[in-house]
């Protein structure tokens, strides 16, 4: 049975990468294709995990994410200046299957009472563990107006 | 637009977006007339068929058909659509009935599509037959059966079912034991029969179905002996008559035959697709190859699990009625095959009743009280109960669920988010049912249950009515109920943190929360300790990244001191204890820390804990657990890391659990977790050794076999590892079979100790039966006389 051009599944698959483009990794997708064109994404066993509380520990992450399979390592996202957790991490599985299962079964569920977001990542590179915002943390924390006690209170808007 | 194109940015240069306030007159930008491409539009229409909608079902069905026939599309789109239809029948089997009706309507106006779809479906069925994917054969075959009105030679389908049956009978008569392939074929046949009648309830079809059913009795399905091992309820305490799915299906079908195939399952589609004149199509016969295969040939027998019963009203179909299997089958296929979108699965579970005959179920969200006052004659079947039961049955399937347990957790979490009022009380009843049967549940089921419930609670603010369990805190420490409460809270803690969990618990339960220090002290280095000075030096040396040689001096000092102190323990043990504790302490800040400290000090660790030193390995595990006594979850992770770095061997971990721990520790979640992990690790080591390449590539690029001594080395290594795995199993059986000593004073404790040991043993024998096939002899040589063990081992032969 040859594969058809369109995805012929009867529902959207949850185990595909989001449309987020990380320019540094050169990851991009061709219009209309269901599979990412980037090689790194097709074989990757690493996931980006976002919307964590600053207080969530590696042990907690391990407890939840190892439900999909043994983890090779966890890399906590840190504030560039203070070297404290700033609300994201990378988890690396041993197998591709476990990573995809994580997208299907754990993405958009709660850890530490926050809905976490996972995304297939082209793979960790030294330097990516740091927040890329001007404040040292994640950029998203500089553009929020709400008070989020688990992510350092109000957004840390930086004067331009 | 591709960002690499150099001209791309230039195009926009100098053009302001109009709404940014320049002085052009304010008008809305005209959009190009956008026509949604045919495929996505039709896909959306067809995949939503049967779901709650503001249009009545007949209208939706006709609308789909009309949209399909009113557009002309190229071959590629057509093929994609046909493929989509088949995938709907596999991934969302609840929708196949409305889909078939819609395709009938398509055939009424556009018979070429009708012919092509049917032809395509037969091709797909054939490819699943050839691949041995019998579950998909069952599902696409059902689709074809529902399309009976537009097939001119339907005998071909019935004939194929008959051929399947004959082959299944032939297969069982040939082999003495269980034949998974025959079971698969037989299941396809039995589950197709009701749909034959559902699709066409004429006397002729009923007669043919009865004929096939009578013939199916020739199939030699002896009830499986391994039932005891697959039953989640132990000690013969199942709250209902427990049986394997195929045996049950036979009983249900025979009841259905007795009732003259009276089965009102579906919406009455006959009025929708009605046309005076339409074309019928003849199909190719499905071929059954000489040699058949089964995709999942190692699948253990299915048993029918129930969690809702003995309510004041019957909320699920009685087990002897065919509906119970038909619903379960439809729901299970949806849950398993649509696992790539759990939100969609949850939606279908909640709307489950919408896809079947109106009036078959009580209205959604009806409370039990209201149900018990329902008018006589109206259905009391609660769709939520039936749907949730199917997911729970998937989660608690023994020896293992078909997908990872966390998937079933996530489906239940989604369902609870989508329809909290409908689903939450249904969960409550399942949770209470399981809790009340804890004393008769399989050990593995208890841990699956604690795992699920803690994960579920972590998604819903940890709110639970703990007070209803307060009294059980006075039970014996090893009573499964008390153990369950302890483990549940402990698992909650691992997903959260102590202060948060204490907030959610009544005071009586807060003793079960061990807060412990975030970083427990390195007590050897405390000023008053005898080894204080040396311990601090060890710590400093590790921090300074010193090599093994540079530790000799301080290790000698410790040994000397230990001998001076006249410690009974081996002097080297003291070195081991101080060094390992130092590493665990340095790594206490996080798992990454401990990982990197283990990596950095590996050469020294190998000296302190040599490869062939079972006793020393066990000591390392003990030291880790001593340090992390309040956070055994962290201890488990550290032990796993030590195992991954091959500092400690799997066998040693197993021995630590069986020989060094107290008997009562078998109720501890960490024993369960580590035992499974260690066995899996030992298996993985074999796999790794087997994957070592036996050839090398020389300079010319030719592959060459390795030298003989190298080959022998590889083979020897594999042999050793296999022996180790066998040794692990022998040790487990030997130690778990050892009778528990006790006196009359603690009779109850002894009883539960025995209970946990038996439960562990049953689970290990069941889950790893494929790995100890050649173990019968060594086990016999142990001289075991325990009937329980001998029976269990005999039963695993059937799995």
């Amino acid at each position: 049975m040859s594969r058809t051009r369109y995805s012929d599944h009867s529902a959207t698959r949850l185990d595909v990468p989001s449309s987020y483009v990380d320019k540094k990794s050169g990851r991009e997708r061709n219009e209309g294709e269901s599979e990412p064109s980037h090689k790194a994404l097709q074989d990757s066993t690493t996931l980006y995990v976002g919307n964590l509380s600053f207080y969530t520990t590696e042990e907690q992450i391990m407890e939840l994410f190892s439900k999909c399979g043994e983890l090779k390592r966890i890399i906590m996202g840190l504030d560039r200046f203070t070297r404290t957790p700033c609300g994201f991490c990378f988890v690396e599985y041993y197998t591709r299957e476990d990573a995809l299962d994580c997208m299907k079964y754990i993405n958009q569920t709660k850890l530490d009472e926050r809905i976490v977001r996972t995304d297939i990542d082209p793979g960790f590179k030294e330097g990516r563990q740091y927040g890329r915002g001007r404040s040292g943390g994640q950029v998203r924390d500089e553009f929020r107006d709400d008070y989020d006690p688990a992510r350092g209170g109000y957004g840390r808007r930086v004067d331009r | 637009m591709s960002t690499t194109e150099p001209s791309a940015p230039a195009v926009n240069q100098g053009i302001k977006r109009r709404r940014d306030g320049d002085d052009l007159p304010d008008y809305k930008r005209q959009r190009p007339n956008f026509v949604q491409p045919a495929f996505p539009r039709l896909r959306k229409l067809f995949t939503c068929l049967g779901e709650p909608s503001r249009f009545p079902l007949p209208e939706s069905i006709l609308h789909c058909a009309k949209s399909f026939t009113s557009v002309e599309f190229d071959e590629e789109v057509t093929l994609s659509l046909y493929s989509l239809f088949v995938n709907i029948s596999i991934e969302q089997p609840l929708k196949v009935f409305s889909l078939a009706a819609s395709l009938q309507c398509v055939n009424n106006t556009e018979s070429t599509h009708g012919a092509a779809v049917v032809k395509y479906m037969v091709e797909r069925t054939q490819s699943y037959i050839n691949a041995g994917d019998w579950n998909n054969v069952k599902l696409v075959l059902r689709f074809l059966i529902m399309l009976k009105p537009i097939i001119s030679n339907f005998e071909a389908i019935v004939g194929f079912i008959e051929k399947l049956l004959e082959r299944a009978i032939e297969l069982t008569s040939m082999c003495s034991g269980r034949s998974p392939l025959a079971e698969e074929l037989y299941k396809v046949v039995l589950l197709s029969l009701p749909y034959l009648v559902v699709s066409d309830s004429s006397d002729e079809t009923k007669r043919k179905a009865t004929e096939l059913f009578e013939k199916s009795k020739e199939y030699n399905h002896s009830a499986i002996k391994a039932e005891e091992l697959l039953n989640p309820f132990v000690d013969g305490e199942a709250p209902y008559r427990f049986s394997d799915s195929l045996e049950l299906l036979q009983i249900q079908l025979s009841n259905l035959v007795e009732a003259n195939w009276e089965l009102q399952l579906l919406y009455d589609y006959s009025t929708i697709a009605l046309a005076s004149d339409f074309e019928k199509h003849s199909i190719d016969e499905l071929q059954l190859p000489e040699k058949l295969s089964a995709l999942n040939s190692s699948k253990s027998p299915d048993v029918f699990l129930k969690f809702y019963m003995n309510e004041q009203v019957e909320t699920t179909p009685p087990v002897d009625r065919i509906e119970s299997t038909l619903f379960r089958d439809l729901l299970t296929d949806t849950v398993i095959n649509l696992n790539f979108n759990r939100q969609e699965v949850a939606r279908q579970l909640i709307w489950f009743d919408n896809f079947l005959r109106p009036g078959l179920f009580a209205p959604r969200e009806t409370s039990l009280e209201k149900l018990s006052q329902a008018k006589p004659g109206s259905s009391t079947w609660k769709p939520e109960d039936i749907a949730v039961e199917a997911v729970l049955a998937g989660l608690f399937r023994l020896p293992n669920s078909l997908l990872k347990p966390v998937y079933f957790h996530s489906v239940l979490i989604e369902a609870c988010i989508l329809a909290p009022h409908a689903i939450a009380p249904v969960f409550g009843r399942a949770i209470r049912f399981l809790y009340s049967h804890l004393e008769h549940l399989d050990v593995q089921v208890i841990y699956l249950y604690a795992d699920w419930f803690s994960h579920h609670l972590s998604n819903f603010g940890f709110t639970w009515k703990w007070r209803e369990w307060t009294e059980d805190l006075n039970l014996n420490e090893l009573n499964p109920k008390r153990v369950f409460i302890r483990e549940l809270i402990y698992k909650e803690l691992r997903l959260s943190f102590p202060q948060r969990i204490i907030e959610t618990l009544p005071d009586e339960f807060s003793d079960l929360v061990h807060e412990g220090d975030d970083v427990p002290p390195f007590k050897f280095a405390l000023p008053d300790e005898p080894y204080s000075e040396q311990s601090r030096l060890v710590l400093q040396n590790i921090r300074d990244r010193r090599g093994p040689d540079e530790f000799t001096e301080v290790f000698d000092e410790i040994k000397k001191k230990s001998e001076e102190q006249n410690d009974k323990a081996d002097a080297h043990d003291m070195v081991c204890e101080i060094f390992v504790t130092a590493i665990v302490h340095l790594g206490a800040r996080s798992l990454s820390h401990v990982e990197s400290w283990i990596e950095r000090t590996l050469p020294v660790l190998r000296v302190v804990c040599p490869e062939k030193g079972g006793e020393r390995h066990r000591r390392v595990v003990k030291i880790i657990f001593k340090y992390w006594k309040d956070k055994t979850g962290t201890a488990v992770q550290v032990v796993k890391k030590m195992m991954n770095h091959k500092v400690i061997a799997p066998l040693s971990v197993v021995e630590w659990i069986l020989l060094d721990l107290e008997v009562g520790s078998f109720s501890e979640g960490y024993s369960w977790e580590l035992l499974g992990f260690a066995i899996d690790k030992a298996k993985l080591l074999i796999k790794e050794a087997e994957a070592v390449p036996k050839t090398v590539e020389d300079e010319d690029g030719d592959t060459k076999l390795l030298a003989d001594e190298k080959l022998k080395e590889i083979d020897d290594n594999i042999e050793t590892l296999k022996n180790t795995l066998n040794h692990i199993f022998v040790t487990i059986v030997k130690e778990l079979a050892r009778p528990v000593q006790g006196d009359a004073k603690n009779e109850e404790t002894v009883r539960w100790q025995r209970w946990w040991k038996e439960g562990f043993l049953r689970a290990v024998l069941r889950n790893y039966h494929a790995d100890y096939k050649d173990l019968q002899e060594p086990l016999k040589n142990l001289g075991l006389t325990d009937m329980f063990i001998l029976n269990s081992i005999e039963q695993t032969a059937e799995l």
Side-chain angles (χ1 to χ4, degrees):
Chain A
M1 225 40 56
S2 64
R3 272 206 64 79
T4 53
R5 182 171 55 141
Y6 297 100
S7 162
D8 51 4
H9 282 291
S10 64
T12 326
R13 294 193 68 93
L14 300 182
D15 55 356
V16 290
S18 75
S19 55
Y20 171 85
V21 178
D22 179 28
K23 289 191 186 113
K24 272 193 189 153
S25 318
R27 114 184 208 188
E28 53 187 276
R29 266 202 282 175
N30 288 348
E31 199 66 33
E33 269 181 33
S34 56
E35 290 286 316
S37 59
H38 200 280
K39 183 86 175 64
L41 282 185
Q42 282 172 14
D43 309 325
S44 170
T45 60
T46 303
L47 300 176
Y48 164 88
V49 183
N51 197 31
L52 294 173
S53 150
F54 289 1
Y55 306 102
T56 300
T57 62
E58 270 183 52
E59 285 75 4
Q60 287 170 280
I61 294 167
M62 174 69 91
E63 184 65 22
L64 180 67
F65 284 86
S66 62
K67 287 181 193 294
C68 279
E70 201 186 335
L71 290 179
K72 200 171 182 178
R73 58 176 175 168
I74 298 172
I75 297 150
M76 294 299 281
L78 301 177
D79 186 296
R80 216 160 23 151
F81 303 129
T82 62
R83 304 284 151 115
T84 52
C86 70
F88 73 98
C89 74
F90 296 97
V91 294
E92 190 181 341
Y93 287 94
Y94 281 98
T95 70
R96 172 78 174 164
E97 195 197 338
D98 292 345
L100 292 180
D101 281 351
C102 182
M103 289 295 289
K104 290 188 280 185
Y105 310 152
I106 290 186
N107 190 10
Q108 303 293 336
T109 64
K110 282 186 182 174
L111 175 60
D112 232 349
E113 305 183 64
R114 298 177 67 86
I115 294 178
V116 296
R117 185 179 73 80
T118 69
D119 196 0
I120 299 175
D121 191 89
F124 174 75
K125 281 203 187 93
E126 182 55 34
R128 287 192 64 203
Q129 71 268 47
Y130 300 118
R132 293 195 293 211
R134 289 175 179 219
S135 63
Q138 284 197 286
V139 177
R140 57 164 281 201
D141 282 313
E142 287 160 17
F143 289 91
R144 356 189 222 98
D145 294 322
D146 59 326
Y147 184 80
D148 188 344
R151 287 183 76 100
Y154 287 109
R156 290 187 285 174
R157 195 179 285 268
V158 178
D159 293 328
R160 307 206 160 208
Chain B
M1 200 187 306
S2 163
T3 47
T4 54
E5 235 172 279
S7 62
V11 173
N12 288 328
Q13 242 165 36
I15 299 176
K16 272 188 193 166
R17 288 164 70 188
R18 290 203 175 87
R19 73 176 99 108
D20 285 353
D22 52 5
D23 41 17
L24 282 170
D26 187 36
Y27 66 93
K28 276 186 185 167
R29 236 188 325 172
Q30 275 188 336
R31 289 165 189 273
N33 194 6
F34 179 72
V35 184
Q36 204 186 3
F39 182 76
R41 192 166 49 86
L42 287 171
R43 177 178 136 138
K44 186 154 194 274
L45 279 177
F46 277 103
T47 49
C48 291
L49 261 183
E51 286 179 7
S53 136
R54 63 199 163 100
F55 302 108
L57 186 61
E59 219 168 286
S60 306
I61 289 174
L62 284 167
H63 178 63
C64 270
K66 214 173 135 202
S67 310
F68 184 57
T69 49
S70 62
V71 198
E72 280 203 17
F73 20 67
D74 58 35
E75 207 178 313
E76 215 169 9
V77 176
T78 320
L79 193 67
S80 298
L81 278 168
Y82 293 169
S83 176
L84 172 72
F85 295 152
V86 174
N87 286 348
I88 292 178
S89 77
I90 292 169
E91 293 160 358
Q92 311 191 29
L94 284 162
K95 292 180 176 169
V96 76
F97 313 112
S98 292
L99 180 62
S102 189
L103 289 179
Q104 275 185 57
C105 301
V106 168
N107 184 61
N108 286 348
T109 41
E110 227 18 278
S111 67
T112 46
H113 273 313
V117 167
V118 175
K119 184 167 177 284
Y120 177 80
M121 280 163 56
V122 172
E123 276 170 23
R124 277 282 284 265
T125 317
Q126 189 64 55
S127 76
Y128 289 131
I129 295 170
N130 299 345
D133 192 339
W134 296 104
N135 202 45
N136 281 1
V137 171
K138 172 190 83 183
L139 291 165
V140 189
L141 199 61
R142 181 177 308 160
F143 196 3
L144 277 167
I145 292 174
M146 297 321 292
L147 282 173
K148 182 179 181 185
I150 68 167
I151 298 175
S152 62
N153 58 338
F154 193 71
E155 321 79 75
I157 302 277
V158 181
F160 172 70
I161 295 174
E162 195 162 357
K163 263 194 282 180
L164 272 185
L165 179 59
E166 278 162 6
R167 190 66 77 83
I169 293 168
E170 194 186 308
L171 280 169
T172 44
S173 63
M174 276 186 332
C175 71
S176 55
R178 189 182 153 242
S179 160
L181 173 63
E183 277 173 23
E184 296 255 4
L185 302 187
Y186 192 54
K187 194 174 154 200
V188 176
V189 173
L190 292 192
L191 275 170
S192 296
L193 293 185
Y195 290 102
L196 280 179
V197 184
V198 164
S199 126
D200 168 22
S201 56
S202 68
D203 287 342
E204 172 59 23
T205 315
K206 284 182 180 170
R207 196 186 53 72
K208 187 68 204 168
T210 312
E211 198 180 291
L212 283 173
F213 175 69
E214 288 305 321
K215 189 166 184 177
S216 79
K217 288 179 181 164
E218 286 172 36
Y219 177 92
N220 177 25
H221 182 71
S222 46
I224 44 167
K225 274 191 249 136
E227 209 170 86
E228 232 170 87
L229 282 179
L230 297 174
N231 192 338
F233 302 97
V234 295
D235 319 325
E237 290 282 348
Y240 60 97
R241 221 202 82 195
F242 182 86
S243 75
D244 79 286
S245 301
L246 280 179
E247 190 194 357
L248 189 66
L249 192 50
Q250 283 176 327
I251 299 170
Q252 292 165 339
L253 274 174
S254 109
N255 290 344
L256 185 63
V257 172
E258 238 167 73
N260 194 27
W261 298 93
E262 267 321 308
L263 183 60
Q264 303 269 314
L265 197 64
L266 302 181
Y267 186 90
D268 181 13
Y269 292 103
S270 61
T271 51
I272 307 171
L274 206 61
S276 52
D277 180 34
F278 58 89
E279 211 173 305
K280 287 189 169 200
H281 314 285
S282 116
I283 53 167
D284 290 341
E285 269 190 43
L286 290 162
Q287 303 298 324
L288 206 54
E290 221 21 72
K291 178 127 185 60
L292 297 180
S293 59
L295 209 56
N296 39 7
S297 55
S298 55
K299 199 178 156 204
S300 55
D302 273 313
V303 289
F304 197 81
L305 302 188
K306 275 191 80 58
F307 302 94
Y308 294 104
M309 65 205 81
N310 310 329
E311 308 280 6
Q312 62 254 50
V313 279
E314 209 168 56
T315 61
T316 57
V319 263
D320 57 351
R321 278 187 64 164
I322 189 79
E323 283 93 336
S324 63
T325 291
L326 294 183
F327 296 158
R328 179 65 59 85
D329 174 58
L330 284 165
L331 289 162
T332 306
D333 281 332
T334 309
V335 170
I336 299 295
N337 296 349
L338 196 54
N339 76 79
F340 54 82
N341 189 332
R342 60 173 201 270
Q343 283 138 355
E344 191 57 48
V345 172
R347 269 154 40 98
Q348 297 216 9
L349 292 179
I350 290 164
W351 295 334
F352 155 63
D353 54 333
N354 232 69
F355 302 99
L356 299 169
R357 183 173 65 78
L360 194 56
F361 305 95
R364 283 196 288 265
E365 269 190 65
T366 317
S367 67
L368 277 193
E369 267 170 38
K370 265 201 185 144
L371 269 187
S372 55
Q373 296 154 11
K375 272 183 255 153
S378 61
S379 173
T380 58
W381 294 348
K382 246 174 101 60
E384 299 92 357
D385 279 24
I386 299 169
V388 170
E389 193 170 69
V391 185
L392 292 176
L395 171 61
F396 293 117
R397 184 184 190 278
L398 294 178
N400 52 319
S401 48
L402 296 179
L403 294 168
K404 288 169 188 159
V406 62
Y407 167 57
F408 300 92
H409 303 178
S410 72
V411 168
L412 295 171
I413 289 168
E414 285 307 325
C416 221
I417 292 171
L418 277 175
H421 295 297
I423 297 292
V426 177
F427 278 5
R429 277 170 28 239
I431 287 154
R432 291 186 181 97
F433 170 80
L434 284 166
Y435 184 84
S436 67
H437 286 84
L438 270 170
E439 285 151 327
H440 307 292
L441 279 188
D442 185 273
V443 170
Q444 189 179 346
V445 174
I446 294 180
Y447 285 116
L448 282 171
Y449 173 30
D451 238 357
W452 162 54
F453 195 34
S454 59
H455 188 197
H456 191 81
L457 287 178
S458 79
N459 272 271
F460 295 94
F462 297 104
T463 31
W464 175 248
K465 293 177 184 156
W466 289 95
R467 286 197 198 281
E468 54 190 75
W469 295 344
T470 309
E471 259 181 39
D472 293 342
L473 290 175
N474 304 322
L475 290 171
N476 183 289
E477 257 184 30
L478 291 180
N479 182 298
K481 283 186 176 163
R482 175 114 183 248
V483 171
F484 176 76
I485 295 174
R486 184 190 75 204
E487 288 296 321
L488 178 60
I489 292 176
Y490 196 66
K491 279 176 191 292
E492 284 192 341
L493 281 168
R494 284 170 69 166
L495 284 165
S496 186
F497 52 99
Q499 297 88 320
R500 173 70 183 118
I501 298 304
I502 285 183
E503 273 172 34
T504 64
L505 292 171
D507 293 344
E508 300 92 313
F509 290 81
S510 49
D511 285 351
L512 291 169
V513 179
H514 296 289
E515 286 199 54
D517 297 320
D518 276 350
V519 177
F522 180 39
K523 71 171 182 10
F524 293 109
L526 296 179
D528 296 340
E529 290 292 319
Y531 298 96
S532 169
E533 203 181 309
Q534 291 79 8
S535 301
R536 261 175 285 171
L537 196 57
V538 168
L539 211 55
Q540 196 52 47
N541 275 356
I542 298 173
R543 282 205 180 107
D544 294 345
R545 326 259 162 109
R546 298 204 186 266
D549 298 342
E550 291 164 283
F551 278 89
T552 324
E553 202 179 316
V554 64
F555 284 172
D556 284 343
E557 257 182 67
I558 295 172
K559 278 185 213 164
K560 211 173 112 204
K561 195 150 192 182
S562 166
E563 274 152 17
E564 271 169 26
Q565 299 242 332
N566 204 9
D567 273 353
K568 275 178 204 149
D570 180 358
H572 203 104
D573 284 348
M574 205 58 227
V575 173
C576 179
E577 181 135 8
I578 291 175
F579 185 75
V580 173
T581 313
I583 290 177
V584 179
H585 172 72
L586 281 171
R589 275 182 59 197
S590 76
L591 295 175
S592 300
H593 281 87
V594 75
E595 173 105 46
S596 62
W597 283 116
I598 293 172
E599 268 169 24
R600 280 178 203 157
T601 56
L602 259 184
V604 195
L605 267 173
R606 297 241 188 273
V607 175
V608 174
C609 177
E611 201 182 334
K612 290 202 170 35
E615 289 281 338
R616 191 63 48 71
H617 290 198
R618 276 156 62 184
R619 180 162 279 272
V620 172
V621 185
K622 195 172 159 188
I623 294 165
I624 295 169
F625 268 83
K626 198 164 146 193
Y627 182 81
W628 282 118
K629 62 182 188 322
D630 288 320
K631 285 187 182 155
T632 48
T634 309
V636 168
Q637 298 298 350
V638 179
V639 171
K640 283 181 180 177
K641 289 201 183 300
M642 291 276 194
M643 258 198 269
N644 285 344
H645 286 284
K646 299 189 181 158
V647 176
I648 39 184
L651 174 64
S652 310
V653 176
V654 172
E655 284 178 339
W656 173 77
I657 296 167
L658 296 166
L659 304 169
D660 296 348
L661 287 179
E662 286 170 31
V663 188
S665 303
F666 287 114
S667 73
E668 299 276 358
Y670 61 77
S671 308
W672 173 255
E673 193 178 341
L674 273 184
L675 191 71
F677 189 85
I679 299 175
D680 289 340
K681 197 92 257 173
K683 281 167 66 179
L684 192 71
L685 289 177
I686 297 177
K687 231 164 113 186
E688 278 173 8
E690 282 172 340
V692 173
K694 289 190 170 181
T695 53
V696 276
E697 211 166 282
D698 61 12
E699 292 128 25
D700 309 329
D702 298 326
T703 42
K704 242 180 23 187
L705 210 60
L706 281 173
D708 280 350
E709 63 262 38
K710 285 271 180 202
L711 284 178
K712 193 173 176 306
E713 210 174 283
I714 294 175
D715 287 339
D716 285 351
N717 187 28
I718 296 173
E719 192 58 30
T720 317
L721 289 170
K722 280 189 172 163
N723 286 338
T724 311
L725 183 64
N726 268 10
H727 186 59
I728 287 179
F729 286 118
V730 174
T731 311
I732 291 174
V733 177
K734 194 170 103 190
E735 290 309 320
L736 288 177
R738 196 186 292 280
V740 185
Q741 305 297 333
D743 47 51
K745 229 171 31 190
N746 53 6
E747 195 189 344
E748 196 187 352
T749 306
V750 171
R751 185 161 64 86
W752 287 120
Q753 283 175 344
R754 201 176 296 135
W755 189 90
W756 284 100
K757 274 179 108 175
E758 267 189 17
F760 257 62
L761 186 55
R762 178 176 35 238
V764 171
L765 290 176
R766 173 182 60 220
N767 297 359
Y768 295 99
H769 63 92
D771 303 304
Y772 63 83
K773 278 264 149 66
D774 41 1
L775 206 72
Q776 306 286 15
E777 275 311 305
L779 284 183
K780 260 183 211 148
N781 294 342
L782 277 177
L784 288 178
T785 49
D786 192 318
M787 276 320 281
F788 165 74
I789 296 166
L790 294 178
N791 277 342
S792 302
I793 292 174
E794 199 189 315
Q795 285 178 14
T796 54
E798 270 193 345
L799 292 175

